[in-house]
Amino acid sequence: DAGVTQSPTHLIKTRGQQVTLRCSPKSGHDTVSWYQQALGQGPQFIFQYYEEEERQRGNFPDRFSGHQFPNYSSELNVNALLLGDSALYLCASSLGQGARNQPQHFGDGTRLSIL
Amino acid sequence: GENVEQHPSTLSVQEGDSAVIKCTYSDSASNYFPWYKQELGKRPQLIIDIRSNVGEKKDQRIAVTLNKTAKHFSLHITETQPEDSAVYFCAASRRTLTFGKGTMLLVSP
């Protein structure tokens, strides 16, 4: 039973560039949430996708956008990268956004470094 | 929005002792409270969760208690082992998860 997988594992970018991170949910899950985890902090909610639509959004600027595909996989896009965007980006999947607050299972994350 | 405070930020215990981590939340509408364990360089792993219609839940050596009136919940680990050493995060949710800043638990042999 495949768990949540994310790619790439590490990424180095420079300020102003754009980045795309990818996530495949756990088998059987249909909802994907993205989090940003700064060093020494708890994960911070970015947004959640269900049925290919953004359903919930945290306090992040429009530079952060996403997409969900018919196979439930998801992408996180960040434009105009800033030094402060350096963090671990975590994807979590769950089942049934309509039935809220189902357990979320995390991937290993993508470590993004901005130079 | 929701705000979750977690204490202590670090906790050192001897193997076999108990460990308690406490969290408070601000949104009285929050109804789901999971706890995650994150080892260095690894993914957060869900270890236990509790919903607002339950006051206590136990799973082997770990237990969580919830006091809705006071808006706080706690994680209890008994008979700690060195492999329990990790960062533990509490979270509260009405619609989305809000995490605390984490507690680094160190269990010494």
Side-chain angles (χ1 to χ4, degrees):
Chain A
D1 181 18
V4 180
T5 58
Q6 293 186 242
S7 63
T9 55
H10 295 84
L11 205 50
I12 299 174
K13 292 286 187 178
T14 57
R15 283 180 298 173
Q17 287 189 310
Q18 178 266 343
V19 68
T20 297
L21 311 181
R22 296 176 175 82
C23 172
S24 291
K26 179 180 170 69
S27 178
H29 284 183
D30 58 8
T31 302
V32 172
S33 302
W34 286 91
Y35 295 84
Q36 181 193 68
Q37 187 176 25
L39 202 61
Q41 301 294 316
Q44 189 173 359
F45 175 74
I46 302 174
F47 43 54
Q48 183 181 77
Y49 277 84
Y50 172 71
E51 292 186 334
E52 303 179 49
E53 291 189 13
E54 182 184 292
R55 301 291 181 166
Q56 307 288 341
R57 188 177 183 92
N59 188 26
F60 279 81
D62 292 344
R63 299 188 296 111
F64 289 77
S65 63
H67 190 77
Q68 186 179 35
F69 299 94
N71 67 352
Y72 308 120
S73 67
S74 178
E75 290 181 347
L76 164 65
N77 301 290
V78 187
N79 295 322
L81 286 166
L82 303 174
L83 293 177
D85 295 333
S86 295
L88 178 67
Y89 287 85
L90 292 163
C91 169
S93 72
S94 55
L95 177 62
Q97 193 271 350
R100 297 194 183 101
N101 291 327
Q102 294 304 304
Q104 294 190 22
H105 298 264
F106 283 85
D108 287 330
T110 294
R111 174 70 63 185
L112 176 62
S113 299
I114 310 301
L115 303 180
Chain B
E2 175 68 276
N3 182 50
V4 177
E5 299 284 341
Q6 183 172 348
H7 299 281
S9 57
T10 59
L11 179 59
S12 294
V13 300
Q14 293 291 318
E15 182 177 1
D17 288 348
S18 294
V20 179
I21 303 171
K22 299 182 179 182
C23 291
T24 60
Y25 60 99
S26 60
D27 186 353
S28 57
S30 287
N31 55 19
Y32 177 63
F33 307 91
W35 286 85
Y36 286 84
K37 173 184 180 182
Q38 188 174 29
E39 297 177 60
L40 189 62
K42 296 191 175 181
R43 68 181 70 186
Q45 285 188 300
L46 179 66
I47 56 172
I48 196 168
D49 58 9
I50 191 168
R51 298 183 186 276
S52 58
N53 58 346
V54 175
E56 184 174 359
K57 184 177 179 180
K58 189 174 182 179
D59 182 4
Q60 299 183 343
R61 294 187 299 109
I62 60 174
V64 58
T65 59
L66 171 66
N67 183 326
K68 287 189 296 182
T69 302
K71 290 189 286 187
H72 68 71
F73 56 112
S74 301
L75 178 71
H76 304 252
I77 306 175
T78 59
E79 302 172 19
T80 54
Q81 302 167 2
E83 50 265 39
D84 294 329
S85 297
V87 179
Y88 290 80
F89 292 99
C90 65
S93 175
R94 177 164 62 112
R95 305 182 74 173
T96 62
L97 287 178
T98 300
F99 285 82
K101 291 187 175 181
T103 296
M104 181 177 291
L105 174 64
L106 177 61
V107 181
S108 302

